[in-house]
Amino acid sequence: MKFLFDDESFSFEALRTAGHGCYGGAELGEVLVTCRNIPEGDEAAWCREWSATAERVHRIGSEARAAGRLVSAREALLRASNYYRNADFYRREDPDNDTVSARLAMLSRQTFATAAELFDHPPLHQAIPYEGGALPGYLFRVDDSGEPRPTVILHGGFDSTLEELYFFAAEGAVRRGYHVLAFEGPGQASARRESGLVFRPDWERVVTPVVDHAITLPGVDPARLVLFGTSLGGYLAARAAAFEHRFAACVLHDGVYSFHEAYLDAMPPFLYDWIIDKRDDLANPVLQLMMALSTQSRWAVRNGMWTFGAASPAEYIRMTQPYTLDGLADKITCPTLVLEAENDQFFRGQPVKVHDALRCEKELMVFAAADGGGEHCHEGATQLFNQQTFDWLDTRLGR
């Protein structure tokens, strides 16, 4: 679905940002006027224009807060958080030494945290114990009564942030009576940037400590835990559910059978052979050429190198090989919902493969382009996706 740009990546990221408007993360007019000043494929202009919009809306929020207009402050600061995230999106050439990227990421977190203080029931910051350190999280609450409620354990995937998870699914869940423990794991956003944690395929080693923490929190019903993974999180959550069996249900948003396969499908066979044979002297120049010609390829490989801790494009692609459900999908025992987007540009066809490999109670839910939900993770159709997903969960949990 083309949205404002011919460049496929710019179109998708603009749609993603605008789509968060249904839960307060964007204003359509702000998206339109920002995007009209960005030339096709111009990543510098993307950062400049989204930064300017974020800063303007941030000022609105700060001035409203200082004046005691707390609803206006909350609304503006939520939008600013999303815009700062988007301004930083393509700055992946060297994030560890990019002061602009670090500043944008910090402002996205700070504006969200300030807005969250103004919620009717402010979320509780979490430091989830993990291998001698801690993973960042929020507990989003229906109320502060302490009444046991079904609780969604929510994580993102390849590039989402903890704050963005609020717009994806956390607010939709809270409105329907679910608490949500959202967190960032290794490789994700501030866990990568501040703690140096890179992705790992054995995601159960991440999720099990989160479950151990969740069941200690007030209001969390340990008999009604739901694991929910978004984008690459569709693989990560499935992998975790194959080993961690304390979940009453699992949602794969969307289903991912093999992360590595997505790269295999996007390159000629000779190049893949060079990568697997470690002919990096041949493979890396070709990969660099592909990156130069495609915004999507350039961003995906750069972001992958950073989040996986790879030294070169070819090494990164090899590092994705263990991210597969081969021999694991049949170990998932809880009811599992596999979501599919009809026009998914990243993992087309993989949700069906996941669904077919499952041996638990399962359902494949396809979102059609004709209904506006055909893009990856149903960007632009968040309310539709939340409605159908949580209706399914309500039925499975007897609500």
Side-chain angles (χ1 to χ4, degrees):
M1 174 165 45
K2 177 183 174 182
F3 183 69
L4 303 180
F5 293 98
D6 292 324
D7 184 288
E8 184 179 42
S9 183
F10 274 28
S11 173
F12 180 79
E13 296 308 325
L15 177 64
R16 172 178 175 173
T17 299
H20 292 334
C22 64
Y23 292 121
E27 185 86 287
L28 181 58
E30 291 168 348
V31 173
L32 295 175
V33 298
T34 302
C35 289
R36 75 182 182 188
N37 293 323
I38 303 174
E40 294 281 351
D42 189 333
E43 295 175 13
W46 180 279
C47 181
R48 181 187 68 242
E49 296 300 326
W50 280 110
S51 294
T53 298
E55 289 166 359
R56 179 174 62 80
V57 177
H58 188 175
R59 286 194 297 272
I60 293 171
S62 297
E63 291 168 2
R65 184 168 178 259
R69 299 185 177 93
L70 302 186
V71 172
S72 296
R74 180 182 66 209
E75 291 177 347
L77 291 169
L78 284 176
R79 301 200 309 278
S81 175
N82 187 30
Y83 299 157
Y84 279 126
R85 175 201 62 78
N86 200 31
D88 178 52
F89 187 80
Y90 290 105
R91 299 191 70 93
R92 288 299 175 267
E93 187 169 6
D94 184 16
D96 288 330
N97 298 296
D98 185 340
T99 57
V100 173
S101 177
R103 176 179 175 273
L104 292 170
M106 177 268 293
L107 287 169
S108 181
R109 293 194 301 274
Q110 287 186 350
T111 48
F112 184 90
T114 304
E117 293 172 358
L118 307 177
F119 287 7
D120 292 339
H121 300 286
L124 304 177
H125 289 272
Q126 303 294 306
I128 302 168
Y130 173 76
E131 295 193 346
L135 301 176
Y138 275 115
L139 179 64
F140 296 98
R141 302 172 297 161
V142 178
D143 55 37
D144 55 7
S145 68
E147 175 187 346
R149 293 185 180 275
T151 300
V152 174
I153 293 179
L154 172 65
H155 62 74
F158 190 52
D159 58 83
S160 53
T161 67
L162 174 61
E163 295 73 26
E164 190 186 17
L165 294 175
Y166 171 80
F167 305 116
F168 268 132
E171 175 60 9
V174 168
R175 292 185 184 188
R176 291 166 171 84
Y178 292 78
H179 293 323
V180 177
L181 176 59
F183 75 93
E184 287 173 346
Q188 297 175 330
S190 59
R192 170 63 184 89
R193 190 181 294 272
E194 296 180 5
S195 300
L197 299 174
V198 295
F199 271 115
R200 57 187 299 174
D202 52 346
W203 202 249
E204 68 278 6
R205 302 287 186 177
V206 179
V207 166
T208 289
V210 177
V211 175
D212 292 341
H213 179 77
I215 61 179
T216 70
L217 299 174
V220 172
D221 183 351
R224 292 186 292 173
L225 295 178
V226 175
L227 182 58
F228 196 127
T230 289
S231 194
L232 176 58
Y235 159 77
L236 299 171
R239 163 79 195 217
F243 295 92
E244 172 56 71
H245 297 295
R246 286 178 284 180
F247 293 108
C250 181
V251 177
L252 309 180
H253 172 225
D254 291 345
V256 178
Y257 191 90
S258 168
F259 187 41
H260 184 69
E261 186 177 302
Y263 285 97
L264 171 60
D265 291 344
M267 65 180 69
F270 74 86
L271 176 57
Y272 182 74
D273 290 343
W274 286 346
I275 292 170
I276 297 305
D277 293 341
K278 298 186 178 180
R279 297 295 309 276
D280 292 5
D281 58 324
L282 300 175
N284 279 321
V286 178
L287 288 167
Q288 293 287 359
L289 177 60
M290 294 173 66
M291 291 164 62
L293 296 174
S294 165
T295 306
Q296 186 65 57
S297 297
R298 183 168 55 253
W299 170 82
V301 173
R302 285 176 172 175
N303 190 66
M305 289 174 60
W306 181 55
T307 58
F308 278 65
S312 74
E315 181 185 16
Y316 159 60
I317 291 172
R318 284 193 297 273
M319 291 175 73
T320 66
Q321 286 181 284
Y323 291 73
T324 176
L325 294 180
D326 278 347
L328 296 173
D330 61 351
K331 300 182 186 300
I332 299 173
T333 57
C334 64
T336 299
L337 176 63
V338 184
L339 304 179
E340 179 177 31
E342 183 179 11
N343 290 338
D344 195 311
Q345 69 194 80
F346 305 111
F347 302 114
R348 185 173 299 183
Q350 292 211 27
V352 173
K353 193 171 181 180
V354 174
H355 180 265
D356 289 348
L358 293 172
R359 296 295 176 264
C360 56
E361 180 185 345
K362 60 186 179 179
E363 182 167 339
L364 178 68
M365 186 178 290
V366 181
F367 288 79
D371 297 329
E375 298 303 301
H376 177 65
C377 287
H378 326 294
E379 301 290 4
T382 305
Q383 290 184 334
L384 176 66
F385 139 68
N386 274 282
Q387 174 253 311
Q388 296 197 24
T389 298
F390 286 100
D391 286 358
W392 183 90
L393 280 173
D394 284 347
T395 299
R396 293 305 171 280
L397 299 182
R399 303 183 71 227

